[in-house]
Amino acid sequence: MTAPEKLLTDLPALSEFEDAARSLRGVISHTPLELSHSLTEMLGVPVHLKLENLQRTGSFKIRGATYRLSRLTAQERARGVVAASAGNHAQGVALAAQELGIAATIFMPLGVPVPKLLATRGYGAEVVLEGATVETPLRLAAEFAERTGAVLIHPFDHRDIVVGQGTLGLELMDDLPEVETIIVGIGGGGLLAGVAGAVRARAAATGRAVRIIGVQAENAAAYPPSLEAGHPVDVLTRPTIADGILVSRPGDVPFGIIRDLVDEVVTVSDDDIARALLVLLERAKVVVEPAGAVGVAAILAGKVSATGPTIPVLSGGNIDPLLMQRVIAHGLAASGRYMTLRIPLPDRPGQLSQVSELVAQAGANVTEVMHTRHGQGLQISEVILQISVETRGEDHKALTLQTLEKAGFRPVVVPD
């Protein structure tokens, strides 16, 4: 019997998810479910946002971490716990350990965003900063567990983690019994596996069918090739703004569940995610981290064809303000509402004024200007004008470029 087949025969029962939900009362929040009128218009069916970004610690991770720690024996609790994380898992384990009176050591990379570092320490965990990426903390956490006997708390590859995350699925079914499509982001797969297991079990008990869709960042999409191969495979990841789901290999435990219970897995680009963050901020007044916005990104990118009431899960809201600033700029550019132009000009008076007048004629707004005589490829009689311009969308962006080109200028859009 292969590992995935064994997992299939050992799927958590509905009663396990319900027991987990009862054990988490008083620790987690039952997060809101809100109708999004703008996304409803885009998708053509009612779209309800599951605001798990409002959860304690700012993400769903507190669910699985608390349930996992609550099931440790007295001897295991006495030895303490250890985890490795760049943010959300760290905060979930730290708070769960604090609530249960368990000593926690968290290994985090040196570049971890300051808000996540301070929050993890604020929950009482001992934090060790080491390594440029999360790979080093993962190794050090495993070595620490081996050396001290502390219990290593994996972020997704454990049955109790999956069951704890599945309590979110029960909330979805309680709050919107008529839901027909649920969209969940995927990193290692713990949340999607838990939601799929709980929702399928609850739907089967009531004789209903619910479509479940997973979404990965295309720069870290290990599930599509793994599902094709029939077992977890490693992929070479590339940088993505959705660092919360940047995982190179599916977890063994969640993979078997996802393989058999999830209808479809799609991928989205960083541009798609940036647009989603912008829409959520502007239209829903919701602050979400990139990994938490991939479900909405899939809707905006046309990757999801839903029938009936649909719920994208906004799985977390722990975004560094500096990253938010960059992502907003990127989202504006991806939406055709912002661009930076480099324009070579003759070095004579009046050129900057002429460009400004043309941009104004096109109805665009200049937000930043840089004028320099230094640059590669410039003739001695040339200067470079670099301007940042606000536009109203792709058509208006094209009109602004055409206005400058018709006047004899040669604007080049600088990649974001």
Side-chain angles (χ1 to χ4, degrees):
M1 179 179 289
T2 65
E5 288 170 346
K6 183 178 180 181
L7 287 169
L8 180 58
T9 62
D10 196 29
L11 286 173
L14 177 58
S15 60
E16 292 182 70
F17 292 111
E18 292 173 339
D19 287 344
R22 283 189 289 269
S23 74
L24 295 180
R25 287 174 185 165
V27 178
I28 68 166
S29 301
H30 186 123
T31 52
L33 189 69
E34 293 190 359
L35 178 68
S36 168
H37 295 284
S38 58
L39 291 174
T40 294
E41 292 175 5
M42 293 178 193
L43 195 58
V45 296
V47 176
H48 300 258
L49 302 175
K50 176 59 171 175
L51 303 182
E52 193 68 2
N53 57 308
L54 301 181
Q55 184 58 260
R56 291 186 69 183
T57 76
S59 88
F60 71 94
K61 289 287 189 178
I62 183 63
R63 296 174 182 269
T66 301
Y67 186 62
R68 171 81 170 95
L69 268 62
S70 73
R71 289 173 59 81
L72 296 178
T73 66
Q75 289 181 333
E76 288 172 327
R77 293 188 186 200
R79 299 203 307 265
V81 297
V82 60
S85 169
N88 288 344
H89 181 56
Q91 293 174 71
V93 171
L95 179 57
Q98 184 184 67
E99 292 282 334
L100 295 169
I102 302 172
T105 301
I106 312 292
F107 288 83
M108 306 181 81
L110 289 167
V112 63
V114 173
K116 294 182 179 182
L117 171 62
L118 295 179
T120 304
R121 284 180 172 159
Y123 295 131
E126 179 181 347
V127 177
V128 180
L129 296 174
E130 190 71 39
T133 68
V134 77
E135 300 303 321
T136 299
L138 285 169
R139 174 178 56 80
L140 293 175
E143 293 173 356
F144 182 89
E146 183 70 24
R147 184 172 67 252
T148 67
V151 180
L152 181 64
I153 306 299
H154 197 281
F156 51 81
D157 207 7
H158 193 279
R159 180 190 176 89
D160 289 342
I161 293 287
V162 169
V163 172
Q165 316 299 27
T167 59
L168 189 150
L170 297 183
E171 289 183 15
L172 300 181
M173 298 296 285
D174 287 340
D175 293 346
L176 193 70
E178 66 272 25
V179 62
E180 293 187 18
T181 304
I182 296 173
I183 311 170
V184 183
I186 323 174
L191 177 62
L192 179 61
V195 168
V199 167
R200 293 287 189 218
R202 177 65 67 80
T206 57
R208 296 191 62 250
V210 179
R211 188 161 176 252
I212 301 173
I213 300 172
V215 185
Q216 287 205 290
E218 64 182 24
N219 285 358
Y223 265 90
S226 295
L227 291 169
E228 185 175 351
H231 57 83
V233 299
D234 285 282
V235 298
L236 181 64
T237 63
R238 292 174 291 162
T240 172
I241 59 173
D243 58 349
I245 53 174
L246 202 167
V247 177
S248 62
R249 183 184 186 278
D252 291 327
V253 172
F255 177 81
I257 300 172
I258 289 170
R259 182 199 62 183
D260 292 290
L261 298 186
V262 172
D263 295 282
E264 184 181 8
V265 173
V266 301
T267 63
V268 291
S269 69
D270 274 14
D271 280 354
D272 296 332
I273 298 169
R275 277 192 291 266
L277 286 172
L278 192 61
V279 167
L280 287 167
L281 190 62
E282 288 189 321
R283 304 299 297 273
K285 313 306 180 212
V286 173
V287 175
V288 183
E289 63 188 88
V294 294
V296 172
I299 292 175
L300 297 178
K303 299 293 184 71
V304 174
S305 55
T307 57
T310 296
I311 303 175
V313 175
L314 308 185
S315 57
N318 293 318
I319 183 169
D320 185 346
L322 293 176
L323 175 61
M324 173 65 86
Q325 183 180 17
R326 297 198 301 271
V327 168
I328 289 174
H330 191 87
L332 288 170
S335 302
R337 294 169 52 192
Y338 181 87
M339 64 177 169
T340 298
L341 303 175
R342 287 175 61 86
I343 309 173
L345 301 174
D347 190 8
R348 61 173 182 261
Q351 295 297 296
L352 175 58
S353 174
Q354 187 177 355
V355 168
S356 298
E357 289 177 4
L358 290 167
V359 171
Q361 287 175 20
N365 182 43
V366 176
T367 61
E368 190 174 32
V369 176
M370 185 183 75
H371 188 273
T372 180
R373 290 183 172 86
H374 307 290
Q376 291 184 342
L378 285 179
Q379 302 296 321
I380 199 166
S381 60
E382 283 187 322
V383 298
I384 282 289
L385 175 65
Q386 182 165 306
I387 59 173
S388 296
V389 180
E390 290 179 335
T391 52
R392 296 187 297 274
E394 291 293 346
D395 291 344
H396 189 212
K397 177 180 173 180
L399 173 64
T400 302
L401 290 170
Q402 290 170 7
T403 301
L404 291 167
E405 289 165 352
K406 286 181 179 178
F409 294 102
R410 294 174 287 121
V412 176
V413 178
V414 178
D416 180 55

